Amino acid sequence: MAEDRYRVELTASFLERLNAIEAFLTEADAAFAFDDLLAELRATVFPNLARFPRIGRRCLDNPPQSAEALAQLAALPAGAASALREYLHGDYLMLYTAMDATATVYLLSIRHHRQLSFDFARFWPGAGMPPSE
């Protein structure tokens, strides 16, 4: 019996974050760490998500407490916030969503685990996000 596998797609925001990670590591004279990250994404993360698209925990299992974050989540399209999942691999936290209708996992962002948040407004332009002050 053949396994159903999801396609893993990298969004523009995910690629931008990878570029920022590469620049940071290169500046820190640790370009090898970026090569390691890319190898781990290809060898472990992408295959895991293709085979087990719900492997990550639901992003809102630990809902945000700040008024700003709650307002941003409320402004997302219906059902979007509950579809967000987090995948932790090494020092990196990835935000993604799995779409059953297209059997596709969309990687939305990647951050070092010590970074604070994701930029939800950029993932869903026109979601009516209030401007930052």
Side-chain angles (χ1 to χ4, degrees), residues 93-111:
L93 177 66
M94 286 156 267
L95 184 69
Y96 75 97
T97 188
M99 305 299 289
D100 293 332
T102 59
T104 305
V105 169
Y106 294 98
L107 283 164
L108 302 171
S109 190
I110 182 171
R111 299 270 185 189

Side-chain angles (χ1 to χ4, degrees), residues 48-64:
N48 282 348
L49 289 172
R51 188 166 179 205
F52 307 106
R54 304 247 172 343
I55 196 171
R57 73 177 182 168
R58 286 178 7 99
C59 186
L60 295 181
D61 280 351
N62 295 314

Side-chain angles (χ1 to χ4, degrees), residues 33-51:
F34 184 72
D35 293 337
D36 291 346
L37 171 62
L38 292 180
E40 290 170 11
L41 288 172
R42 287 186 194 109
T44 304
V45 175
F46 299 163
N48 282 348
L49 289 172
R51 188 166 179 205

Side-chain angles (χ1 to χ4, degrees), residues 15-35 37 91-92 110-115:
L15 293 172
E16 286 174 21
R17 291 297 313 142
L18 278 179
N19 288 336
I21 290 167
E22 179 181 28
F24 172 77
L25 292 172
T26 299
E27 186 175 312
D29 203 22
F32 66 90
F34 184 72
D35 293 337
L37 171 62
D91 289 336
Y92 296 93
I110 182 171
R111 299 270 185 189
H112 189 275
H113 70 88
R114 291 184 183 172
Q115 288 180 291

